[in-house]
Amino acid sequence: MQYCPAHGDPGLREKICEVMALEGIHAHPDDVVVTVGSQQALDLITRIFIDPGDVVLVEAPSYVGALGAFAAYQANVVHVPMDDDGLIPEALDEKVRSLAAAGQRVKFLYTVPNFHNPAGVTLALPRRRRILEICAAAGLLVVEDNPYGLLGFDGEPLRALRADDPEGVVYLGTFSKTFASGVRVGWAAAPPAVRDKLVLAAESAVLCHSSLAQLLVREYLYTQPWRDQVKIFRELYQQRRDAMLGALDAVMPGGCHWTRPAGGFYVWLQLPDGLDSKAMLPRAVSSRVAYVPGTGFYADGQGAEHMRLSYCFPEPDRIREGVRRLAGVIEAEIELRDTFGSGGTHGNVGVDTPGPEVA
Ligand SMILES: Cc1ncc(COP(=O)(O)O)c(C=O)c1O
């Protein structure tokens, strides 16, 4: 229980390399810096690279915790569109060129390639090479955030971006989704120059990560059948994903669209025209169902017509009941819209929804 190297416990870093090898990454323990969850790695990377006003490219939508870190360092966040196959390379190329033409300083691309939070989509394999090429040509670092990579439902883990470009990609991993989020152990695997800066930044932030938490995870990885445990998680989440998609197919009103995740925790749902997920939330909570409004996943105010649904925690019956309640709320919202116009659902939340608990 002494201070440990700011890099992290050596035995743990060795095991982390084994975990990353499942995604095609050949890393040395020296490439790895243990962090307080991958959230701290996001914070440190941003602290190292971003001066106020520097551009960070992110998917549209993007992970809310990353957007928080980028905002804290006054980055200029620019969204790049996605479709069902993840980030669109042509759109990225176009954005990189137009920002360069405008004289903007772009520092890195932040991407969640697998089972995206919140969009639930996965970057198609043929796109991965193209995205690496675009970033390499523009001298852009890629920050690959991959908390859900081992939680795919259809076979082997997908090849990481870092597996094909270890010099151009900083990979962020975590044990939050495959062991326990409360132990707060994550990591960054980075090219040597970035790794050195990360170690210095980690040292100045926390001296070193908790030895106890690191030993806990190290012991788990050395002594327990963690691969089998991950398989159990995959099966559990697949059942929950199936329950959610089945319920959505069965009860959602026309005009709603949603993604069909092949892993991870999230479905991204688009509401019918004129509905606003944030304005609707108090009425959903009154019906005892909750979601995250889409606006939290954009830095520029988009997302009102979207919401993130999570199936990771409730059991299948609760998921089906939650979706049934949500469908009822959306139907009522459609009726309001048709009666009063779309503005009718935007203001006055609570006026037609008795119950002070939703104020
Ligand atoms: C995409 C993404 N990145 C990072 C994190 C943060 O994870 P950690 O618990 O390792 O800080 C999460 C947590 O939900 C996430 O979804």
Side-chain angles (χ1 to χ4, degrees):
M1 296 305 140
Q2 298 296 323
Y3 291 118
C4 69
H7 244 82
D9 175 81
L12 175 62
R13 285 188 279 118
E14 247 175 55
K15 279 292 176 191
I16 286 173
C17 291
E18 262 180 43
V19 174
M20 290 192 292
L22 298 175
E23 296 167 339
I25 295 175
H26 297 291
H28 188 275
D30 287 352
D31 301 334
V32 175
V33 183
V34 177
T35 54
V36 184
S38 48
Q39 186 64 31
Q40 191 200 17
L42 275 169
D43 182 82
L44 298 177
I45 286 284
T46 316
R47 184 191 303 188
I48 290 167
F49 280 100
I50 296 299
D51 295 317
D54 285 348
V55 173
V56 176
L57 292 169
V58 306
E59 285 133 351
S62 185
Y63 169 55
V64 61
L67 295 179
F70 302 151
Y73 293 96
Q74 300 173 45
N76 175 10
V77 173
V78 174
H79 288 281
V80 182
M82 283 197 286
D83 60 18
D84 285 347
D85 287 330
L87 189 66
I88 302 170
E90 294 72 29
L92 174 67
D93 195 33
E94 202 275 315
K95 210 54 111 178
V96 167
R97 285 171 198 276
S98 63
L99 287 162
Q104 299 258 29
R105 205 155 65 144
V106 187
K107 284 292 179 66
F108 58 79
L109 166 71
Y110 166 74
T111 176
V112 182
N114 299 320
F115 323 125
H116 192 272
N117 179 2
V121 298
T122 291
L123 184 62
L125 288 179
R127 286 188 177 183
R128 298 187 179 216
R129 172 80 55 184
R130 183 72 197 111
I131 282 168
L132 288 173
E133 283 167 4
I134 293 166
C135 290
L140 264 189
L141 185 72
V142 176
V143 177
E144 173 180 29
D145 188 8
N146 193 23
Y148 307 99
L150 298 187
L151 296 177
F153 306 142
D154 308 321
E156 293 304 303
L158 295 163
R159 192 169 170 80
L161 293 168
R162 186 174 161 88
D164 290 318
D165 186 3
E167 286 308 305
V169 179
V170 176
Y171 175 101
L172 310 186
T174 180
F175 292 103
S176 285
K177 318 295 170 177
T178 51
F179 179 53
S181 52
V183 297
R184 309 304 301 133
V185 176
W187 72 91
V194 178
R195 187 251 352 254
D196 289 349
K197 296 274 184 206
L198 275 173
V199 173
L200 280 177
E203 215 162 21
S204 87
V206 291
L207 282 188
C208 73
H209 189 9
S210 154
S211 300
L212 182 60
Q214 292 185 76
L215 292 182
L216 193 71
V217 179
R218 186 185 81 182
E219 209 54 21
Y220 172 68
L221 295 172
Y222 272 99
T223 63
Q224 301 301 310
W226 60 270
R227 289 180 181 80
D228 295 340
Q229 184 59 41
V230 170
K231 190 163 169 274
I232 290 171
F233 284 144
R234 275 204 300 269
E235 287 164 7
L236 182 89
Y237 294 132
Q238 182 166 15
Q239 281 168 12
R240 292 175 184 190
R241 186 274 317 257
D242 290 346
M244 179 167 276
L245 291 182
L248 288 166
D249 288 339
V251 300
M252 272 294 145
C256 292
H257 305 281
W258 54 90
T259 51
R260 307 188 81 83
F265 294 173
Y266 308 109
V267 169
W268 185 237
L269 183 139
Q270 183 173 7
L271 291 167
D273 284 348
L275 267 57
D276 179 328
S277 62
K278 197 167 182 182
M280 200 177 89
L281 185 60
R283 283 191 271 267
V285 172
S286 292
S287 300
R288 307 192 70 76
V289 60
Y291 55 80
V292 184
T295 43
F297 303 98
Y298 289 90
D300 57 7
Q302 297 179 65
E305 72 288 3
H306 279 96
M307 61 175 66
R308 189 191 74 178
L309 307 179
S310 170
Y311 52 80
C312 71
F313 186 67
E315 306 223 331
D317 279 348
R318 304 282 298 160
I319 291 171
R320 282 186 277 271
E321 174 59 15
V323 170
R324 190 190 66 75
R325 291 179 193 183
L326 183 61
V329 174
I330 295 174
E331 268 159 18
E333 209 72 4
I334 293 171
E335 254 184 73
L336 272 176
R337 177 201 64 189
D338 293 346
T339 311
F340 299 111
S342 59
T345 65
H346 286 202
N348 298 324
V349 174
V351 168
D352 57 346
T353 310
E357 76 279 10
V358 299

